[in-house]
């Protein structure tokens, strides 16, 4: 399962994530420090399970769950709390919370709850299988206004073809074709349907077609000789690429069947075959035989955790050429690993989420720009290996070109500390507060600061404030005491003293230079 942790205490948040990945096979895809961030990540990553604290700043856990449900987000929710009062439990039950974990956490409790939810999700997925097959059949008709009549019409098409066929022509069979397209404008729809109808006639096939907009899927039902059907599919894929060069209709899932009663299930099977496009870096027809062959060659999945260390350092230092090399190494690993399609998608999502987490903690501006580029959404919507790789290459270009090298520092912990100072210096920051926020001891942070920056923590904060004061003195008409307040000094006389100590002249003299 894919799990999101929402908890304001960083030690609990990171500790729970490490515990889950150490004692279970589940994947922690993200972490958030409050309900607001939690909702953003739920929208972006669609986790299977959300483990959330109740009491958090900005938006608490129950408010977040309520907002989730109102927005139609159906992730399973586990409440993480040390407050076991009935009022919380009662509210949570009304919001459809799946289970509870009480602090302090024990490994056995985490395992028990996640196993329970995993079993529940598997049961629900099995129950949805028949429904999905039925919906596919309905979509194929292109009209959902009358479910029963559309299903009967599809069945009638199959049965009429089966009844018309000569029993001696055992080479004639039914086939379901599924494909997908990046976009389907009205013009592209018309040209696609024209190509489908023209080619069915050319290859002496009976058939009908529908384009499912919300899934970007094309689904066709065919009847005729098997060899003609295979030639038809190859030609149709080529024709669709000619219709619009940027169209990613590069693959077709093809399933044959003889019994009209099998039609709904075969539509789902053909659609599911398209997942092979995530592990098949080529164009062509995806069949059950190919799927079985690829399954035999699949290797056990292992996320390349080692890829993250160098990437983190290179993002922190803004080393563009190294970032490109890091991303290329990750893509090569995923491309040559012979992993299952779902593991390839999970790997790319985890890697992208890791990049987002780094940016969020060291450079808020770059993180906001990252979100505005919709990289995560495009990664989620990827249908082919080429889609995944193209999106990640764009991320690499973004990282190399858009981030400012504000400090040439490779140490991730120091980068996070500086980002915390940048965001909070006006209110005042201390060594203890900063260390607690990033989850290390004050002594260790102090040692790192001297080692990486060549000055101690308090001196850095002081010089940081003065650097901002200098910009205000030169770039605005603010009075001296207003500048002092703007950079976190409550006493303007003390500000003047510190400014002269750092700069060698008073604020007034600096402004008049």
């Amino acid at each position: 399962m894919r799990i999101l942790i929402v908890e304001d205490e960083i030690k609990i948040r990171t500790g729970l994530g490490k515990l889950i990945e150490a004692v279970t096979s589940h994947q922690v895809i993200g972490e958030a420090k409050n309900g607001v961030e939690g909702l953003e990540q739920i929208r972006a990553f669609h986790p299977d399970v959300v483990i959330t604290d109740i009491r958090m700043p900005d938006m608490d856990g129950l408010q977040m769950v309520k907002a989730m449900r109102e927005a139609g987000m159906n992730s399973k929710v586990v409440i993480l709390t040390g407050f076991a009062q009935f009022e919380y439990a009662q509210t949570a039950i009304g919001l459809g919370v799946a289970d509870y974990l009480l602090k302090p956490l024990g490994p056995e409790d985490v395992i028990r709850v996640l196993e329970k939810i995993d079993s529940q999700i598997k049961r629900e997925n099995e129950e949805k299988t028949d429904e999905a097959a039925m919906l596919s059949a309905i979509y194929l008709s292109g009209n959902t206004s009358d479910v029963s009549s559309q299903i009967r019409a599809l069945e009638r098409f199959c049965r009429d073809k089966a009844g018309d066929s000569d029993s001696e022509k055992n080479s004639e069979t039914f086939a379901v074709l599924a494909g997908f397209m990046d976009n389907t404008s009205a013009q592209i729809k018309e040209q696609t349907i024209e190509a489908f109808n023209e080619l069915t006639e050319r290859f002496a096939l009976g058939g009908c077609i529908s384009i499912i907009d919300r899934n970007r899927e094309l689904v066709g039902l065919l009847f005729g000789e098997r060899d003609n059907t295979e030639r038809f599919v190859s030609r149709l894929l080529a024709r669709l690429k000619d219709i619009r060069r940027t169209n990613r209709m590069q693959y077709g899932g093809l399933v044959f069947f003889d019994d009209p009663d099998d039609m709904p299930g075969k539509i789902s099977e053909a659609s599911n075959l398209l997942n092979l496009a995530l592990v098949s870096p080529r164009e062509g027809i995806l069949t059950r035989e190919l799927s079985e062959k690829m399954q035999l060659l699949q290797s056990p999945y292992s996320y390349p955790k080692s890829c993250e260390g160098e990437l983190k350092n290179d993002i922190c230092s803004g080393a563009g050429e190294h970032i490109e090399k890091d991303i290329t190494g990750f893509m090569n690993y995923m491309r040559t690993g012979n992993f299952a399609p779902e593991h390839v998608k999970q790997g790319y999502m985890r890697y992208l989420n890791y990049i987002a987490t780094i940016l969020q903690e060291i450079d808020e501006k770059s993180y906001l720009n990252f979100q505005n580029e919709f990289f995560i959404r495009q990664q989620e919507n990827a249908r082919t290996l080429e889609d995944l790789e193209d999106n990640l290459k764009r991320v690499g270009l973004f990282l190399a070109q858009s981030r400012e090298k504000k400090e040439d520092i490779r140490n991730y912990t120091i980068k996070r500390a500086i980002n915390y100072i940048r965001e909070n210096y006006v209110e005042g920051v201390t060594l203890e507060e900063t260390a607690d926020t990033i989850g290390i001891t004050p002594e260790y942070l102090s040692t790192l600061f001297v080692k990486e920056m060549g000055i101690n923590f308090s001196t850095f904060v002081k010089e940081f404030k003065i650097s901002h004061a200098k910009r205000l003195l030169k770039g605005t008409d603010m009075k001296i005491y207003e500048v002092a307040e703007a950079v976190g000094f409550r006493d303007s006389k003390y500000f003047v003293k510190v400014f002269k100590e750092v700069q060698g002249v008073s604020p007034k003299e600096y402004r008049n230079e």
Side-chain angles (χ1 to χ4, degrees), residues 300-331:
Y301 173 65
S302 175
Y303 176 74
K305 188 77 173 176
S306 59
C307 288
E308 294 182 347
E310 284 300 320
L311 177 67
K312 178 173 68 178
N313 289 335
D314 293 333
I315 290 176
C316 289
S317 62
E321 68 283 2
H322 292 152
I323 291 172
E324 181 181 355
K325 182 179 179 181
D326 297 332
I327 287 177
T328 299
F330 173 82
M331 292 191 301

Side-chain angles (χ1 to χ4, degrees), residues 429-440:
V429 292
T430 67
L431 178 68
E432 290 72 18
E433 290 171 351
T434 307
D436 184 63
T437 299
I438 62 179
I440 62 175

